[in-house]
């Protein structure tokens, strides 16, 4: 398995992308075991916490399964339908594009919340709870906030148990950033908690409503930033 050390340390995204590429190109096939966290950390020349963040992101994408003891196995290779999904990586982040992305994300995520409320299992709830705990612990920390926000929504998409919905969200997720301060970060945590509680209660209407409120809040912040 050919892995490259990072030019800059503590960038878990680089590890995520390298491992994701190995999974998508078949070098790490379904059922394959990943090297241990210790071995991966040594290969990438990073701390174990950085490696664990990358593995958590791959888990949220539905690409690996992390079992008790930290053993990681490739869960599945995305279906051929994934190749039919739009490649949004080259989109220009101008105001019009961002507004269009907000509309698409609202349509997708409100539906995801309702479906997840009906189809989530105990594993999904445990994953969301762990993300919320980290989010609460690091309120105001921008880098951790961005990562946990993304992981929450990816995990929620995965909780629909619909691989195409999960891939659609993944295609959209890296196109938008939220610029926030400590108070906004705290409010986002409470909004995510409300979404989680509705999903835990298997209440699709409440899940939709809480997600709409959260996305409207995000939209207002983005529009304020764009207007500056």
């Amino acid at each position: 398995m050919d892995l490259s050390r990072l030019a800059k340390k503590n960038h878990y995204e680089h590890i995520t992308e390298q491992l994701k590429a190995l999974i998508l190109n078949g070098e790490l096939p379904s059922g394959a075991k990943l090297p241990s966290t210790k071995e991966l950390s040594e290969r990438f020349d990073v701390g174990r916490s950085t490696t664990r963040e990358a593995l958590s992101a791959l888990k949220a994408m539905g690409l690996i399964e992390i079992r008790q003891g930290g053993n990681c196995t490739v869960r599945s290779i995305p279906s051929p339908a994934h190749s039919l999904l739009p490649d949004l990586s080259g989109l220009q982040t101008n105001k019009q594009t961002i507004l269009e992305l907000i509309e698409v994300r609202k349509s997708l995520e409100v539906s995801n919340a309702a479906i997840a409320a009906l189809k989530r299992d105990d594993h999904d709830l445990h994953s969301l709870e762990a993300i919320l705990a980290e989010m609460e612990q690091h309120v105001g920390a921008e880098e951790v906030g961005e990562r946990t926000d993304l992981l929450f929504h990816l995990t929620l998409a995965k909780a629909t148990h619909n691989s195409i919905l999960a891939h659609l969200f993944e295609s959209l997720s890296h196109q938008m950033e939220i610029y926030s301060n400590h108070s906004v970060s705290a409010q986002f945590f409470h909004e995510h908690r409300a979404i989680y509680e509705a999903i835990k209660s298997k209440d699709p209407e409440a899940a939709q409503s809480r997600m709409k409120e959260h996305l409207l809040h995000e939209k207002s912040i983005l529009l304020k930033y764009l207007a500056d």
Side-chain angles (χ1 to χ4, degrees), residues 14-222:
H14 295 260
I15 301 175
T16 303
E17 289 305 313
Q18 285 197 51
L19 294 175
K20 178 182 173 183
L22 292 173
I23 294 171
L24 295 181
N25 68 23
E27 189 169 339
L28 283 173
S30 179
K33 291 185 178 180
L34 271 63
S36 68
T37 302
K38 179 177 182 293
E39 185 177 352
L40 285 171
S41 298
E42 290 173 351
R43 291 198 193 187
F44 285 113
D45 192 25
V46 297
R48 295 191 191 185
S49 61
T50 301
T51 301
R52 283 192 288 267
E53 287 180 1
L55 295 174
S56 294
L58 291 169
K59 177 183 176 182
M61 295 175 190
L63 294 177
I64 67 169
E65 180 178 352
I66 302 178
R67 297 176 179 173
Q68 191 170 8
N71 296 320
C72 301
T73 305
V74 177
R75 187 168 185 175
S76 64
I77 295 182
S79 66
H82 189 203
S83 64
L84 301 178
L85 299 179
D87 179 7
L88 302 178
S89 60
L91 284 177
Q92 297 295 315
T93 54
N94 57 47
K95 183 174 182 179
Q96 183 58 37
T97 298
I98 290 175
L99 290 173
E100 291 176 359
L101 283 168
I102 291 171
E103 290 179 353
V104 174
R105 188 179 171 193
K106 180 180 177 183
S107 298
L108 177 64
E109 289 216 71
V110 170
S111 296
N112 282 355
I115 296 170
L118 295 173
K119 297 176 67 177
R120 62 56 172 184
D121 57 26
D122 289 342
H123 176 76
D124 298 321
L125 291 180
H126 293 155
S127 297
L128 290 169
E129 287 168 359
I131 295 166
L132 285 169
E134 185 176 7
M135 189 181 294
E136 184 176 27
Q137 183 180 357
H138 296 282
V139 166
E142 184 176 348
E143 184 176 344
V144 178
E146 288 180 4
R147 175 175 59 81
T148 53
D149 182 88
L150 173 60
L151 282 176
F152 181 90
H153 289 274
L154 279 171
T155 303
L156 187 150
K158 183 174 175 290
T160 66
H161 295 273
N162 182 313
S163 61
I164 294 177
L165 287 175
H167 291 318
L168 278 170
F169 177 78
E170 184 185 344
S171 296
L172 293 170
S173 61
H174 295 288
Q175 305 303 317
M176 299 170 66
E177 296 181 18
I178 297 297
Y179 300 82
S180 62
N181 53 34
H182 187 280
S183 63
V184 170
S185 180
Q187 182 60 34
F188 276 180
F189 165 73
H190 291 300
E191 291 168 5
H192 284 104
R193 169 65 69 178
I195 294 167
Y196 163 79
E197 293 295 344
I199 290 171
K200 181 179 180 180
S201 300
K202 292 192 171 184
D203 187 337
E205 289 79 13
Q208 284 184 313
S209 180
R210 300 294 85 77
M211 180 62 79
K212 284 180 182 177
E213 291 171 359
H214 173 58
L215 293 177
L216 283 173
H217 187 193
E218 283 197 357
K219 179 179 179 180
S220 68
I221 293 171
L222 281 168

